Amino acid sequence: MLNNMENERRNNNKNEDSRMRGFRPSLRAMMLVIAVIWVGVAALYGLLKPVSSGCIMTYMYPTYIPISSTEGVLSAKYGLYLYHEGWRKIDFKEHLKNLNGIPVLFIPGNGGSYKQVRSLAAESDRAYQGGPLERTFYREAYLTSEEGGNVDVADFQLPNQYANRLDWFAVDLEGEHSAMDGRILEEHTEYVVYAIHRILDQYKESRGAREREGAATTGRLPKSVILIGHSMGGFVARAATIHPHLRKSAVETILTLSSPHQSPPVALQPSLGHYYASINQEWRKGYEVQATHTGHYVSGPAISHVVVVSISGGYNDYQVRSKLESLDGIVPPTHGFMISSASMKNVWLSMEHQAILWCNQLVVQVSHTLLSLIDSRTGQPLSDTRQRLEIFTRMLRSGIPQSFNWKMQSQSSWSSHVPVKDVKDTAGSQVHTLFDCPSSVHWSDDGLERDLYIQTTTVTVLAMDGRRRWLDIEKLGSNGKSHFIFVTNLAPCSGVRIHLWPQKGKSSSGLPAGKRVLEVTSKMVQIPAGPAPRQIEPGSQTEQAPPSAVLHLGPEEMHGFRFLTISVAPRPTISGRPPPATSMAVGQFFNPDEGEIEFSPISMLLATHSHKDVLLKEDHPLAFNLSFAISLGLLPVIFSLKTAGCGIKDSGLLDEAGDMENTKLCKLRCFPPVALAWDPTSGLHVFPNLYSETLVVDSSPALWASTGTEKTTVLLLLDPHCSYKASIAVSVTTVASRFLLLYSSQIVGFSVAVILFALMRQAHARPIPSILKAVESNLKIPFPFLPFAVVPILVSLFFSFLTSQPFPPLFSFTILSMICYVFANGFVILLILVSQLVFYVAAYIHVLIKRRWQLWEGNFCFLFLQWFMNLSSKFFSLKVVRVLRANPLFIPISAAIVLSTFVHPALGLFILLLSHALCCHSSLCNSLTASIRSHERKKELSDYKSEGNYLSQQFTSKPGSPSKENSSSYGQTQEDTFHHRHGLLVLHLLAALMFVPSLISWLQRIGMHQSFPRFLDSFLCTCLILHGIFSSESLLNSSLPFPRILGQEVRLNFIYLIAGIYSYLSGLALEPYKVFYAMGAVGIISFAMSILQVWTGAPRFGRRRHWHRH
């Protein structure tokens, strides 16, 4: 008998230890949580660091004229204003009467104000008064063949003066958060449609008022409005364009600034994601020919007249990534494109989400672009789609990508081919060929003082000396050096001219018939120059000037020519403009293979711990092609260049003091380095004066929708006369911030999948493990971690195969997806630990107070409280209260469903969370109480054993006290209830957090016109509520009335598995809002199972699996 007592005591201790083990995280889980916290803190630090964009502030004198509106719900809520620039007071009515410009409507974004129109409106007014930008002769971008660039009618000159001014209107949307709620987005769309009609009607009213007064009326009435949208306003502009109530051809041009087009930046609300998907689908159909089901022609494309241009802020825009701003798959290349502000001509800056509205460099370029859209003959915007797209291309795009053929991935990065076309103006008359300098440039190479004959592969110009330099292509371009590159700060045509000669001659007129000289000056492309050179000491030599242009000629372009000449203008320049403070030009024949430097994934990852150095000796290639195997959008690198020598005697790597002096001297001889980074998603990024800079592009690699290579190509221009020590390092904070920015949507979807996989394990195992232990079990390598992490990836690839979609890069896609899945596990574990800590603290305090309360039973205060409780018991004896107590689920179900349906879905989920929390608290308190009683019984047994009375106590128990078996079973039952409810609470807590942004926008609208929630949101949240209320432990082993799969009954754990895989796929597609579909399906099935159990009886529907501990 003594041995039996000892065995029972050991078993009780084991049971308690195993019970507590489910509440303690393993070492692996703690390391994962620490990693998640560390990445989050590092990312937050990287995102909160101030960013210097280099933007110049725009100043204005704003006046906002209200436009009267007809009566209506939305018109009473929102407003419409006309902007006027000027400091003088004006008569609003008189100003509206004289309205005769081109209407432009500005649509603010998430939480934006109508007053944000002021920078664009003010600069467009100045641009109209000042005239077009001064023409330069750099190579301009042109439409590719995919964009319809081979059509002659698209080639015309930009206007010499602007034919009409722009009238800027703006809608006042009350600063509502349209990025967080689909209902708000729809209301904004409806009001913008009304505002477009109101603007067009206002022009009719203004003309009618002038005619009644006998004033002269000239020009046509505008038939369309140009839409400018910032952030979510850009999507609202597109949604309004396809609205069924919009007048035909009322919108023909849309320009968006930092606007997400592919999906919302906060894609958490189901109705918001569904509205986005429906609008994008309508746009895809709008560019297709309308036909019947039998194939008969109905009409042409509905929106074939609309041109859309999306301008992104680049890598400094933390709110909207360039991948979301892309128009791929929505607008065909013949009707629009996306360009980053970092690659925009005359801008070259990446900027924050709000700075794109006031950055003067961008605002000026956009203003001149919009004014260039006006036809000089009609005074209205050009009607031809191709012409408008051509203007956007030439005014915004840089010629650099096409010069180096970076858009043609199938060809070498150094090959370039540009068709020589005849340029025509809008009237159709021929002007000049593409690369000839115009006749307005008065100096020519015929009057140059003396010719120089260069015998080396590198040529240098240090002054505007008025000389022509001859380079023998056949001699200098031998030994594989068949490419020529030229960098300079001299302006093309007015400062330098470059020609290809079939043979040597004094002038082009002296060549025999059939021999022609080809001028390639206008093939030079503009690059942003760094700060102006300075003098180190007064009266000393000036530092080398940064290059502002680059020219690249391939062997196919120099084929058939023997000589290349570089003609430099004399110092007294034309056009009244003073010459640059210092003149520089460096050209070189080079072999591209000699400048190839590749950084492998391993070397880039090792750069997080140590620098990788590369020594570039003198007489190196002028251009280096750096290839980074891992995209700089995911793994930005800090690239540093240190001047090691520049032809100065004994100028090797000196000590610290000597090295500083060496750097000063070399700045007088070496031009500042320039890096041109190219990314297929975000385009061109230029880094002038590159001595120490973080090279980063705004790409989104390793996604399901990614295609092609994800390498980042960087063209590095270095002075060949100097030697450099280059090094790369990786900033951990920058990498962490980029990781969360790119993959946060994916991690949200994966987090729901992690919880559903854990609930699957809870539904399968007996006894029910804690949700923490279930998550940890799913992290075991290789099983079950690999199936959970890899099988959904294989399913996504199978879907890509079925839909004929291109496959993503398999290796990077798989690795990054698994990393995001592990990160999601860490986030879920952190969420579980926090909630578990709260429950345990509350339960321990509750049990402690309860036991203290029992000790006070004989106290007078206790007797008074007991009398008060007896008095209040009369309230509980009421019939209504007794009915509610008999049906405890009635109140939470009713309250949650009513709030979800008529107020806001998040409020219903909060009621559900409260129900879960009370159930978890009650179960945990009961379990702890049972555990304490078990310890007391063991202590009593130990005392009886010491007194020799353990034999009699074995068969005797206190009256009314539970037996050992009943106590253990009761405690385990309460523990199972806690584990089950805690898992559901974590799942529904994450669902409620996904609705918090929508709730914030709803709270902002309290007191204003309110509408019911979207049916989709209410329905899915109702399904979640049913899942939380009716999902009990008895359902976990109940079989579903479905056919068997592989001979096994379909149970709830299988449903959780399918829902988890679907949530995983939703995360891969960057559509986390679709996880609500999976959770809603689980809720419907759980509710149906509960109804069937009640209808048929639990024993007939399923059987309870019995278990016991060993």
Side-chain angles (χ1 to χ4, degrees):
M1 193 64 65
L2 179 61
N3 292 333
N4 291 338
M5 291 294 299
E6 291 294 335
N7 291 335
E8 182 183 354
R9 185 175 62 83
R10 294 192 187 97
N11 290 335
N12 288 335
N13 291 335
K14 290 181 180 178
N15 292 342
E16 295 301 326
D17 292 340
S18 63
R19 184 178 302 176
M20 294 303 298
R21 206 177 298 127
F23 300 105
R24 290 195 295 264
S26 63
L27 178 61
R28 180 189 308 168
M30 287 306 301
M31 292 178 61
L32 193 55
V33 169
I34 293 173
V36 168
I37 296 176
W38 180 81
V39 170
V41 173
L44 190 63
Y45 174 78
L47 294 174
L48 293 181
K49 284 195 306 184
V51 177
S52 177
S53 63
C55 284
I56 301 173
M57 181 62 71
T58 303
Y59 297 94
M60 70 294 295
Y61 297 94
T63 301
Y64 305 96
I65 304 172
I67 305 297
S68 60
S69 303
T70 57
E71 292 186 2
V73 176
L74 291 179
S75 60
K77 180 179 179 181
Y78 304 129
L80 178 64
Y81 291 86
L82 171 66
Y83 181 90
H84 172 72
E85 173 66 17
W87 57 271
R88 294 181 178 178
K89 279 190 174 183
I90 60 172
D91 187 330
F92 288 178
K93 292 184 178 181
E94 192 67 25
H95 186 79
L96 289 175
K97 187 189 303 180
N98 297 322
L99 204 61
N100 61 354
I102 305 299
V104 182
L105 177 60
F106 173 78
I107 308 171
N110 179 58
S113 169
Y114 68 96
K115 295 182 179 181
Q116 292 174 325
V117 71
R118 55 186 180 268
S119 296
L120 283 165
E123 281 301 336
S124 66
D125 186 72
R126 298 187 189 107
Y128 172 74
Q129 297 177 11
L133 296 171
E134 182 179 355
R135 185 184 176 189
T136 61
F137 304 103
Y138 295 104
R139 174 178 174 177
E140 295 179 339
Y142 58 90
L143 293 177
T144 63
S145 58
E146 292 182 353
E147 299 167 338
N150 292 332
V151 182
D152 291 338
V153 295
D155 300 327
F156 60 94
Q157 279 187 318
L158 296 173
N160 294 323
Q161 62 181 7
Y162 297 134
N164 205 344
R165 69 186 322 125
L166 300 177
D167 294 329
W168 284 85
F169 297 83
V171 289
D172 180 12
L173 301 177
E174 295 292 335
E176 294 179 338
H177 295 287
S178 55
M180 302 179 181
D181 191 272
R183 170 68 76 178
I184 297 177
L185 206 58
E186 292 185 41
E187 292 181 2
H188 287 184
T189 301
E190 293 175 2
Y191 183 74
V192 167
V193 172
Y194 164 79
I196 294 172
H197 295 166
R198 184 67 189 88
I199 290 171
L200 295 177
D201 293 341
Q202 180 63 50
Y203 280 85
K204 294 181 182 179
E205 295 174 7
S206 300
R207 169 168 286 202
R210 294 197 300 270
E211 290 177 348
R212 286 192 297 271
E213 294 180 356
T217 56
T218 58
R220 305 177 182 175
L221 283 174
K223 297 181 179 180
S224 64
V225 178
I226 299 175
L227 299 185
I228 310 295
H230 172 246
S231 188
M232 296 301 294
F235 178 80
V236 171
R238 287 202 304 113
T241 304
I242 59 172
H243 197 278
H245 296 160
L246 184 70
R247 298 174 188 171
K248 186 178 180 180
S249 300
V251 175
E252 293 184 341
T253 304
I254 301 175
L255 180 67
T256 66
L257 305 173
S258 293
S259 298
H261 294 290
Q262 298 292 335
S263 63
V266 187
L268 303 178
Q269 186 190 33
S271 62
L272 177 61
H274 180 266
Y275 184 62
Y276 244 89
S278 63
I279 293 299
N280 287 340
Q281 183 62 26
E282 288 296 323
W283 268 78
R284 296 184 187 99
K285 293 180 180 179
Y287 287 106
E288 299 174 355
V289 176
Q290 306 299 313
T292 62
H293 295 290
T294 58
H296 294 288
Y297 176 84
V298 177
S299 63
I303 53 175
S304 60
H305 59 284
V306 179
V307 170
V308 186
V309 174
S310 173
I311 300 177
S312 71
Y315 51 83
N316 281 336
D317 188 349
Y318 296 154
Q319 298 186 35
V320 184
R321 273 74 62 204
S322 296
K323 186 72 174 180
L324 299 181
E325 300 173 69
S326 172
L327 298 172
D328 294 344
I330 301 175
V331 180
T334 55
H335 289 76
F337 58 86
M338 190 270 288
I339 184 173
S340 171
S341 61
S343 59
M344 189 184 298
K345 188 166 63 175
N346 298 331
V347 180
W348 314 110
L349 298 172
S350 177
M351 54 198 68
E352 297 173 335
H353 192 66
Q354 298 296 331
I356 199 170
L357 287 171
W358 55 260
C359 183
N360 190 258
Q361 294 94 319
L362 183 139
V363 167
V364 169
Q365 195 69 20
V366 168
S367 299
H368 284 278
T369 302
L370 296 177
L371 287 167
S372 300
L373 295 173
I374 303 175
D375 192 341
S376 58
R377 295 170 296 185
T378 63
Q380 296 297 320
L382 294 166
S383 59
D384 186 81
T385 303
R386 203 69 51 80
Q387 290 183 352
R388 279 179 280 141
L389 192 64
E390 177 82 12
I391 288 177
F392 277 118
T393 299
R394 295 174 63 176
M395 290 293 294
L396 300 181
R397 282 178 171 175
S398 166
I400 295 177
Q402 292 171 335
S403 177
F404 292 98
N405 207 28
W406 281 333
K407 290 195 172 186
M408 304 295 293
Q409 299 297 330
S410 59
Q411 301 181 13
S412 169
S413 60
W414 286 110
S415 64
S416 60
H417 174 70
V418 182
V420 179
K421 303 177 288 186
D422 290 335
V423 181
K424 300 180 181 181
D425 59 12
T426 55
S429 60
Q430 183 172 324
V431 181
H432 58 79
T433 56
L434 184 61
F435 301 122
D436 288 340
C437 288
S439 57
S440 58
V441 179
H442 300 295
W443 77 280
S444 66
D445 52 8
D446 295 337
L448 297 176
E449 297 180 4
R450 184 163 58 89
D451 290 349
L452 298 176
Y453 298 92
I454 307 301
Q455 303 299 323
T456 59
T457 57
T458 303
V459 58
T460 305
V461 177
L462 296 178
M464 299 184 69
D465 51 11
R467 295 181 177 181
R468 177 170 55 194
R469 290 156 175 83
W470 289 80
L471 291 88
D472 191 332
I473 298 175
E474 182 177 334
K475 177 182 177 182
L476 302 179
S478 59
N479 299 325
K481 298 183 177 181
S482 56
H483 290 253
F484 180 77
I485 193 166
F486 180 76
V487 296
T488 181
N489 73 329
L490 301 175
C493 295
S494 61
V496 63
R497 300 177 72 168
I498 302 176
H499 297 81
L500 294 174
W501 295 69
Q503 65 183 44
K504 190 178 298 185
K506 200 64 179 170
S507 65
S508 57
S509 58
L511 294 178
K515 302 287 186 179
R516 64 185 183 90
V517 178
L518 178 64
E519 181 167 10
V520 293
T521 306
S522 294
K523 274 194 170 186
M524 295 171 59
V525 290
Q526 184 182 16
I527 58 177
R534 61 186 182 88
Q535 289 182 329
I536 299 178
E537 296 177 359
S540 65
Q541 182 180 349
T542 306
E543 293 179 354
Q544 271 283 21
S548 59
V550 59
L551 167 70
H552 170 249
L553 296 176
E556 68 280 358
E557 295 167 290
M558 294 185 289
H559 179 71
F561 296 95
R562 177 64 188 274
F563 293 96
L564 183 148
T565 60
I566 302 173
S567 305
V568 181
R571 191 164 184 80
T573 60
I574 51 101
S575 73
R577 176 179 295 180
T582 58
S583 305
M584 62 79 56
V586 179
Q588 184 187 67
F589 285 93
F590 72 104
N591 183 356
D593 296 336
E594 296 178 358
E596 295 283 344
I597 301 178
E598 294 187 3
F599 295 96
S600 64
I602 296 178
S603 63
M604 294 183 68
L605 293 175
L606 292 178
T608 57
H609 303 286
S610 59
H611 297 268
K612 178 178 175 59
D613 298 332
V614 178
L615 183 61
L616 306 176
K617 298 181 179 180
E618 295 181 12
D619 297 326
H620 55 71
L622 191 153
F624 285 90
N625 192 20
L626 311 182
S627 178
F628 294 89
I630 302 178
S631 172
L632 296 182
L634 175 62
L635 202 70
V637 299
I638 301 176
F639 191 83
S640 301
L641 275 174
K642 197 174 184 181
T643 308
C646 49
I648 304 175
K649 185 178 180 180
D650 298 328
S651 63
L653 296 175
L654 309 177
D655 54 16
E656 185 174 354
D659 189 53
M660 186 177 300
E661 185 66 25
N662 181 56
T663 301
K664 290 181 179 180
L665 293 174
C666 287
K667 281 187 176 181
L668 304 178
R669 305 194 59 180
C670 313
F671 67 79
V674 180
L676 310 175
W678 170 255
D679 176 73
T681 301
S682 57
L684 178 70
H685 301 75
V686 184
F687 302 91
N689 284 35
L690 180 69
Y691 290 107
S692 181
E693 190 77 30
T694 300
L695 300 183
V696 56
V697 297
D698 195 23
S699 65
S700 300
L703 296 176
W704 192 356
S706 301
T707 57
T709 179
E710 294 185 339
K711 293 183 179 180
T712 301
T713 301
V714 178
L715 178 64
L716 185 62
L717 303 178
L718 296 175
D719 197 318
H721 304 96
C722 308
S723 60
Y724 298 91
K725 179 182 178 182
S727 63
I728 66 168
V730 175
S731 171
V732 177
T733 57
T734 307
V735 173
S737 59
R738 291 295 303 175
F739 175 76
L740 286 187
L741 283 176
L742 295 177
Y743 304 106
S744 56
S745 297
Q746 193 165 313
I747 292 172
V748 172
F750 287 178
S751 299
V752 176
V754 168
I755 301 174
L756 290 172
F757 289 152
L759 292 176
M760 180 208 72
R761 181 164 292 277
Q762 280 190 333
H764 178 73
R766 287 297 175 271
I768 300 177
S770 69
I771 188 68
L772 176 61
K773 189 174 181 180
V775 173
E776 291 176 351
S777 300
N778 290 337
L779 285 174
K780 290 182 179 178
I781 299 176
F783 298 102
F785 173 77
L786 288 181
F788 286 147
V790 177
V791 169
I793 298 176
L794 298 178
V795 173
S796 68
L797 297 177
F798 180 70
F799 283 161
S800 298
F801 172 75
L802 291 180
T803 55
S804 301
Q805 297 294 327
F807 289 103
L810 295 181
F811 181 77
S812 60
F813 173 60
T814 303
I815 296 299
L816 262 297
S817 298
M818 294 178 66
I819 292 176
C820 291
Y821 178 72
V822 172
F823 191 89
N825 275 270
F827 172 73
V828 170
I829 292 175
L830 179 61
L831 199 63
I832 292 172
L833 290 177
V834 172
S835 61
Q836 191 171 273
L837 177 64
V838 172
F839 281 126
Y840 260 79
V841 171
Y844 273 112
I845 294 176
H846 186 176
V847 172
L848 179 62
I849 293 176
K850 186 176 180 180
R851 292 183 63 82
R852 292 290 184 183
W853 183 275
Q854 292 174 353
L855 296 177
W856 294 342
E857 289 183 354
N859 199 321
F860 173 78
C861 294
F862 176 80
L863 294 177
F864 174 78
L865 292 175
Q866 191 174 16
W867 171 82
F868 178 78
M869 293 178 64
N870 292 334
L871 184 64
S872 62
S873 63
K874 295 180 180 180
F875 170 77
F876 294 100
S877 63
L878 297 176
K879 185 175 181 180
V880 176
V881 177
R882 282 189 281 112
V883 172
L884 293 178
R885 294 184 66 184
N887 300 275
L889 297 180
F890 179 78
I891 292 180
I893 292 176
S894 303
I897 293 179
V898 168
L899 289 175
S900 296
T901 305
F902 299 104
V903 185
H904 194 276
L907 300 179
L909 291 178
F910 289 154
I911 297 295
L912 177 63
L913 291 177
L914 180 60
S915 175
H916 285 325
L918 293 177
C919 183
C920 288
H921 178 73
S922 176
S923 301
L924 189 56
C925 288
N926 293 336
S927 178
L928 292 176
T929 302
S931 176
I932 292 174
R933 289 177 179 175
S934 177
H935 282 287
E936 290 177 349
R937 289 182 59 81
K938 285 190 292 183
K939 183 178 179 182
E940 291 177 0
L941 289 174
S942 177
D943 294 339
Y944 281 121
K945 177 182 175 182
S946 62
E947 297 175 4
N949 296 328
Y950 57 89
L951 291 177
S952 59
Q953 179 62 26
Q954 181 181 359
F955 303 101
T956 307
S957 60
K958 291 182 180 181
S961 63
S963 64
K964 300 181 189 109
E965 293 80 1
N966 292 338
S967 177
S968 176
S969 176
Y970 175 76
Q972 184 60 53
T973 302
Q974 295 299 316
E975 184 180 335
D976 288 347
T977 302
F978 172 77
H979 293 334
H980 176 64
R981 285 291 177 178
H982 189 206
L984 295 179
L985 181 140
V986 174
L987 176 66
H988 297 145
L989 174 61
L990 190 56
L993 291 177
M994 293 176 67
F995 266 105
V996 166
S998 175
L999 179 63
I1000 294 175
S1001 63
W1002 177 83
L1003 292 174
Q1004 183 192 20
R1005 292 157 61 95
I1006 290 180
M1008 303 172 62
H1009 171 69
Q1010 295 286 348
S1011 56
F1012 292 126
R1014 298 292 296 173
F1015 172 78
L1016 181 62
D1017 297 337
S1018 299
F1019 174 76
L1020 292 175
C1021 285
T1022 300
C1023 294
L1024 265 67
I1025 293 168
L1026 296 178
H1027 176 222
I1029 297 297
F1030 290 99
S1031 179
S1032 61
E1033 297 91 316
S1034 62
L1035 293 180
L1036 299 182
N1037 277 326
S1038 300
S1039 60
L1040 300 176
F1042 296 148
R1044 290 174 175 264
I1045 299 178
L1046 299 178
Q1048 300 292 327
E1049 293 181 340
V1050 178
R1051 300 181 183 275
L1052 195 58
N1053 59 343
F1054 180 77
I1055 303 301
Y1056 280 133
L1057 175 63
I1058 298 301
I1061 294 176
Y1062 182 85
S1063 299
Y1064 197 115
L1065 294 175
S1066 301
L1068 288 177
L1070 301 183
E1071 296 172 333
Y1073 64 90
K1074 288 188 175 181
V1075 301
F1076 282 97
Y1077 301 155
M1079 291 188 287
V1082 174
I1084 293 175
I1085 294 174
S1086 300
F1087 178 68
M1089 289 173 62
S1090 300
I1091 297 299
L1092 287 175
Q1093 275 191 337
V1094 174
W1095 185 263
T1096 62
R1100 288 181 294 168
F1101 181 71
R1103 65 181 183 272
R1104 177 77 173 177
R1105 182 184 301 176
H1106 298 280
W1107 56 269
H1108 63 277
R1109 294 186 185 272
H1110 295 280

